[in-house]
Amino acid sequence: MRESVKINASIDVGKTPFILLLAGIMMLTAVSGPLADRISHAAEQSAPLININIYDSVMLSQQKYLMVGERGEIYFSEDSGANWQSAKSATKNNLFSVSFAGAQNGWACGALGTMLHTSDGGRTWAEQNSGTEKHLFAVDFYDTRNGCAVGDWGTILRTTDGGTTWEDATLSEDIILYGICLTQSHEGWAVGEFGQLFQTRDLGKTWQKFQSPAIQSLFTICGEGESLYAAGLDGAIIYSHDNGETWEESSNLSGKSIYGIDVAGQTCWAVGEEGTVLRSDDSGKSWKSLDVPMQARLFWFGAISIKMKNSTSIGFGAGAHGVMFRIQDSALLWD
């Protein structure tokens, strides 16, 4: 049974929680509204044309960043986020997730079963036939051939040929799946409503429900090595350091819903509603809420991507109306 969310089509998306926007898209192709008060940051300098909601991002290197969002728009930077270019997309549908296998091959998924593929590092994208019109909220690829996507109504798709064909592995129960993470050659995890966890050991052919310490809906999941991190409603964050065999709840949380999470080594970053930015330096056991400008609290952040450089974090975060920050030497830069 899915959670009930009321949608107001005229609501200002700059102040609307990320997950309400996703729920609204199930009823509307797009949700838009006036921008009440744009945050003062480097937009005039680094991204003068980006004024859309950003839902996901990826770092292809320490210099090359890429992000996806509303109306099928895709942007990439080759100078660590200082300047951004628009990629040639193949859709006008909202894009909710992006995943790369290596530096050249990537996939992005979104509303109405949209699936895109790039083979040139994200500069140009072509549409793939996913075989569904259900909204796809997350995609992840283990290598250039094997990947999975998840979405509305328990939808799970899998491919073993780089997305040329997609096989339907949809769950029998009615549940929204928001996140997917492939951890090893044949293993992976999906998360969704009511804190539910699902595990596959055969690259998405079959899925088993796994006991979760969370009861709140989980919107995002990431992993590195044998460590996994999932987060969602009301600031819930759970983690595992044994490839999902056991899970624990994190402490020192903000109480704000988390929409994006990423990990590099023992350092984790998470972002969410009302300008929430969290960092953990002990592999997700505890989290510190970082100070953000007052105006940033009017917006949600849906995307966070990090890497390690000289034992410190670098990367960027983005969200409502293209509001962005950069991370250098583990510190937030609003320029």
Side-chain angles (χ1 to χ4, degrees), residues 286-307:
S286 62
W287 294 78
K288 176 184 178 182
S289 182
L290 303 184
D291 291 332
V292 302
M294 182 65 70
Q295 290 165 300
R297 300 174 191 173
L298 298 174
F299 300 84
W300 49 259
F301 293 113
I304 182 71
S305 294
I306 64 167
K307 288 185 179 295

Side-chain angles (χ1 to χ4, degrees), residues 4 17 37 39 50 53 66 82 91 105 114 118 125 148 150-151 183 229 242 247 259 261 266 276 291 297-298:
S4 176
D37 183 15
I39 190 171
I50 302 176
N53 294 322
L66 185 142
T91 185
N105 284 279
T114 299
T118 179
W125 297 75
C148 288
V150 300
T183 57
Y229 307 87
D242 54 13
W247 291 83
Y259 306 136
I261 192 168
Q266 292 186 331
T276 296
D291 291 332
R297 300 174 191 173
L298 298 174

Side-chain angles (χ1 to χ4, degrees), residues 144-167:
T144 57
R145 299 188 62 81
N146 299 294
C148 288
V150 300
D152 200 12
W153 298 101
T155 298
I156 299 180
L157 306 177
R158 64 184 297 268
T159 181
T160 57
D161 58 13
T164 301
T165 59
W166 291 86
E167 177 185 338

Side-chain angles (χ1 to χ4, degrees), residues 57-62 64-66 98-108 117-123 125 140-146 307:
S57 63
V58 64
M59 289 181 67
L60 301 179
S61 70
Q62 292 184 355
K64 187 168 183 179
Y65 304 166
L66 185 142
V98 61
S99 174
F100 270 72
Q104 299 300 314
N105 284 279
W107 292 260
H117 173 248
T118 179
S119 58
D120 61 5
R123 289 181 173 272
W125 297 75
D140 194 31
F141 269 72
Y142 176 76
D143 54 33
T144 57
R145 299 188 62 81
N146 299 294
K307 288 185 179 295

Side-chain angles (χ1 to χ4, degrees), residues 47 84 233 292:
W84 292 86
L233 196 65
V292 302

Side-chain angles (χ1 to χ4, degrees), residues 4 11 57 59-60 81 137 146 191 202 280 329:
S4 176
I11 199 165
S57 63
M59 289 181 67
L60 301 179
F137 294 132
N146 299 294
V191 298
D202 54 13
S280 171
D329 296 326

